[in-house]
């Protein structure tokens, strides 16, 4: 185990997570008299809202996930460390993270925890084997392989039953991700793949969007949800509301309707976008802070200044924080991280924690794209949809992409995709589909896991714990 040097006695800020909260927190401390250490289990800053476009062949990984080290290269007071945080000692003010079998302890004076959320299967984690979520690069690439592989399999199918199962795509959850993904699968089948097969017509693909509640895009209200629903139905997407998925297996899903009817949908390609749960670090912080609690989703119920009880130097931001009326969106993470950075800088000038004004969230609105030329947008009391909303959606997402190169290439890819019929990222491999399951099997075998870690340059495990999870995190980019 190594320990980061403590010779430099400038105020030390450790940031956990390289998402919007982590990256914006680090950037807002660029000119402060502090040393910033950003620790993340992935090597990139992932723009999650555009993951579905990676999954459906519109954008490449590089456009939405630049390397964090390159993003912060010019920030002289920032250091980036790769690894998964396994311990936070609030009394000793240290963070321990692990990369394969290498453990590193990093001291802090202030801590910003911005580890976000992961997919929730509501206690049915076995569903993940057959219905990947949409939270990581691995998820998007695996899903791209599953989608394109389904069409390839249908081309070779020897029976109509098999062909129908392969050409049925089920998206579970009608939030923004589910709506956007269902729309793009439908457009992929109807436009991009039209005329590219001999034995099948891709336009025969059946796209089903299943939602346990009674509305599409429920949080955006009935007007915008209705607009999105009608647009999807016009594209041929089947929308099934008040339907609960009770089982997922290799060949389909089992659905229970509101009247108690149980039915079966045969489908080879399923996607889960029905819920999220907070990072496990939220529970760790709550357990080690006297009086701090987490909500049902595992998010930390923070103090008005986004800190945890008894530790005014420990901030929780982004999807990991539980603050009334603050949605789990990029804006909440950005504003929370900015608030925390300003509080740290104020502390350097002598301001006491009790002088902090409570965090106030400014709702800049929400939006979701349904298809090319169509989106829905909510800004305060203003609600609108269609082409203007779609342009607003494009502009906002371009603004928050990191780097001019990413923005330029994204504009070109969008131009080609939305005005034409082709897509620039249609490559897929079997490894993308099966690597996750293969690694899970490796993780179950200690010897194989040690051999994998050794092949990547790590020493043997000293605590008997398989390093496979960390190895998998390296794949996540």
């Amino acid at each position: 185990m190594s320990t980061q040097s403590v010779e430099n006695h400038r105020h030390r800020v450790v940031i956990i997570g390289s998402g919007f909260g982590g990256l914006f927190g680090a950037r807002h401390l660029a000119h402060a008299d502090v040393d910033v250490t950003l620790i993340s289990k992935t090597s990139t800053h992932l723009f999650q809202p555009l993951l579905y476009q990676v999954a459906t062949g519109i954008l490449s990984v590089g456009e939405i996930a630049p390397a964090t080290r390159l993003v912060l290269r010019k920030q002289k007071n920032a250091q980036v460390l790769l690894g998964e945080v396994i311990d936070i000692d609030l009394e000793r003010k240290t963070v321990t993270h692990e990369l394969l079998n290498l453990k590193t302890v990093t001291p802090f004076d202030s801590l910003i925890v911005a580890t976000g959320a992961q997919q929730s299967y509501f206690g049915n984690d076995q569903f993940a084997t057959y219905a990947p979520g949409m939270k990581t690069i691995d998820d998007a690439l695996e899903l791209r392989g599953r989608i394109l592989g389904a069409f390839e399999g249908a081309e070779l199918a020897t029976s109509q039953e098999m062909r129908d199962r392969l050409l049925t795509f089920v998206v579970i959850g009608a939030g923004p991700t589910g709506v956007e993904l269902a729309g793009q699968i439908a457009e992929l089948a109807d436009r991009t793949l039209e005329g590219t097969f001999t034995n099948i017509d891709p336009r025969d693909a059946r796209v089903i969007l299943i939602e346990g509640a009674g509305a599409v895009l429920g949080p955006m209200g009935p007007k915008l949800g209705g607009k999105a629903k009608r647009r999807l139905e016009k594209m041929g997407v089947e929308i099934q509301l008040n339907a609960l998925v009770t089982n997922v297996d290799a060949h389909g899903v089992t659905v229970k309707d509101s009247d108690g009817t149980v039915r079966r949908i045969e489908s080879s390609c399923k996607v889960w976008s029905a819920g999220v749960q907070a990072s496990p670090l939220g529970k760790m912080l709550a357990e080690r802070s006297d009086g701090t609690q987490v909500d049902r989703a595992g998010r930390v119920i923070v103090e008005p200044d986004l800190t945890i009880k008894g530790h005014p130097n420990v901030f929780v931001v982004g999807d990991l924080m539980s603050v009334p009326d603050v949605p789990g969106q990029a804006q909440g993470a950005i504003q929370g991280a900015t608030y925390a950075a300003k509080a740290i800088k104020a502390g350097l000038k002598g301001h006491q924690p009790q002088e902090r004004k409570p965090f106030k969230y400014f709702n800049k609105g929400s939006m979701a794209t349904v298809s090319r030329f169509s989106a829905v947008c909510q800004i305060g009391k203003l609600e609108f949809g269609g082409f203007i909303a779609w342009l607003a959606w494009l502009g906002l997402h371009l603004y928050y992409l990191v780097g001019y190169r990413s923005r330029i290439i994204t504009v070109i890819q969008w131009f080609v995709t939305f005005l034409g019929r082709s897509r620039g990222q249609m490559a897929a491999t079997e490894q993308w589909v099966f690597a996750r399951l293969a690694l899970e099997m490796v993780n179950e075998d200690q010897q194989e896991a040690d051999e994998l870690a050794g092949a990547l340059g790590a020493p043997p495990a000293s605590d008997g714990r398989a390093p496979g999870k960390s190895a998998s995190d390296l794949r996540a980019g």
Side-chain angles (χ1 to χ4, degrees):
M1 180 183 297
S2 64
T3 303
Q4 295 297 298
S5 172
V6 295
E7 293 179 1
N8 190 333
H9 296 292
R10 285 210 304 178
H11 191 92
R12 298 162 298 190
V13 180
V14 171
I15 300 174
I16 307 175
S18 60
F20 284 104
L23 185 65
F24 276 78
R27 281 180 156 182
H28 277 281
L29 292 168
H31 302 294
D33 188 25
V34 300
D35 289 321
V36 178
T37 301
L38 189 150
I39 303 172
S40 175
K41 69 178 183 180
T42 64
S43 62
T44 62
H45 164 66
L46 176 61
F47 192 90
Q48 265 190 7
L50 290 178
L51 265 179
Y52 79 95
Q53 294 198 4
V54 173
T56 52
I58 299 175
L59 298 178
S60 70
V61 170
E63 273 65 81
I64 71 164
T68 309
R69 290 186 181 279
L70 297 181
V71 174
L72 296 177
R73 175 170 49 189
K74 295 182 180 180
Q75 186 169 327
K76 300 304 181 182
N77 69 339
Q79 178 186 23
V80 178
L81 300 177
L82 182 64
E84 181 175 13
V85 171
I86 58 175
D87 184 64
I88 300 175
D89 191 325
L90 297 177
E91 300 304 322
R92 296 184 179 181
K93 295 183 179 180
T94 61
V95 172
T96 302
H97 77 274
E98 182 180 37
L99 178 62
L100 298 175
N101 292 327
L102 296 172
K103 294 184 178 67
T104 303
V105 178
T106 305
F108 66 84
D109 297 303
S110 294
L111 177 66
I112 299 176
V113 185
T115 48
Q118 57 196 29
Q119 206 70 59
S120 172
Y121 289 85
F122 307 111
N124 298 294
D125 291 345
Q126 70 276 12
F127 291 178
T129 299
Y130 308 107
M134 188 53 62
K135 288 294 181 183
T136 68
I137 294 171
D138 281 339
D139 291 337
L141 293 178
E142 178 180 348
L143 183 58
R144 188 198 297 177
R146 286 176 178 260
I147 294 171
L148 298 180
F151 285 104
E152 296 294 344
E155 174 77 353
L156 300 173
T158 56
S159 69
Q160 188 61 43
E161 179 183 1
M162 182 186 299
R163 186 175 293 114
D164 290 342
R165 184 174 72 244
L166 287 164
L167 290 179
T168 298
F169 301 87
V170 174
V171 179
I172 304 161
T177 299
V179 166
E180 291 166 345
L181 194 54
Q184 281 307 312
I185 294 174
E187 289 197 337
L188 180 68
D190 288 344
R191 289 176 54 80
T192 305
L193 297 179
E194 181 189 4
T196 60
F197 291 89
T198 302
N199 297 327
I200 64 169
D201 185 346
R203 294 174 297 180
D204 292 335
R206 184 184 179 196
V207 183
I208 303 173
L209 180 62
I210 300 177
E211 170 58 44
V216 172
L217 297 176
M220 297 185 73
K223 179 181 177 180
L224 295 183
K227 284 181 177 290
K229 181 175 181 292
R230 289 189 294 273
R231 175 57 184 161
L232 287 172
E233 289 174 336
K234 187 176 181 180
M235 297 168 63
V237 176
E238 301 176 33
I239 298 176
Q240 301 180 7
L241 303 177
N242 297 307
L244 295 175
V245 173
T246 58
N247 191 38
V248 181
D249 58 41
H251 298 299
V253 300
T254 302
V255 180
K256 183 177 181 179
D257 293 316
S258 57
D259 61 1
T261 303
V262 177
R263 53 192 171 84
R264 175 81 178 170
I265 300 176
E266 296 296 318
S267 168
S268 292
C269 185
K270 290 83 60 180
V271 191
W272 189 276
S273 64
V276 296
Q277 61 186 12
S279 158
L281 288 185
K283 183 179 180 181
M284 179 189 293
L285 286 172
E287 291 174 344
R288 299 183 181 184
S289 167
D290 187 21
T292 300
Q293 298 180 338
V294 296
D295 62 14
R296 294 178 61 184
R299 297 174 299 183
V300 179
I301 301 176
V302 294
E303 299 295 284
D305 62 353
L306 304 186
T307 62
I308 58 178
K309 291 183 182 296
H311 299 275
N313 63 325
V314 179
F315 299 85
V316 180
V317 304
D319 290 350
L320 191 59
M321 70 180 184
S322 178
V323 178
D325 301 321
V326 179
Q329 298 175 350
Q331 275 301 319
I334 292 170
Q335 292 181 34
T338 302
Y339 173 91
K342 289 181 178 179
I344 291 171
K345 289 190 286 188
L348 296 176
K349 297 178 181 179
H351 292 265
Q352 298 302 310
Q354 55 268 27
E355 298 180 75
R356 297 171 184 164
K357 294 182 180 180
F359 170 72
K360 289 186 177 180
Y361 174 70
F362 176 66
N363 188 355
K364 296 183 178 180
S366 57
M367 55 182 65
T369 181
V370 184
S371 65
R372 71 188 190 109
F373 308 148
S374 179
V376 291
C377 184
Q378 182 182 58
I379 304 176
K381 295 183 178 180
L382 179 63
E383 298 180 344
F384 58 100
F387 184 70
I388 300 300
W390 184 73
L391 290 178
W393 182 93
L394 292 180
L396 180 68
H397 285 69
L398 272 179
Y399 177 79
Y400 282 111
L401 274 176
V402 174
Y404 290 109
R405 175 188 174 279
S406 293
R407 292 169 184 160
I408 292 172
I409 295 177
T410 296
V411 168
I412 294 173
Q413 295 282 24
W414 282 349
F415 183 86
V416 171
T417 300
F418 298 137
L419 296 184
R421 298 174 60 184
S422 63
R423 301 189 178 202
Q425 303 297 325
M426 295 293 286
T429 72
E430 287 187 356
Q431 287 190 28
W432 293 356
V433 178
F434 298 114
R436 173 174 59 90
L437 301 179
L439 276 172
E440 288 175 0
M441 289 187 286
V442 169
N443 291 349
E444 295 174 0
D445 187 296
Q446 176 65 50
Q447 182 178 352
E448 288 191 19
D450 278 337
E451 290 176 355
L452 174 61
L456 296 173
S462 59
D463 57 0
R465 189 173 72 85
K469 184 175 181 181
S470 296
S472 177
D473 289 336
L474 281 176
R475 288 187 306 115

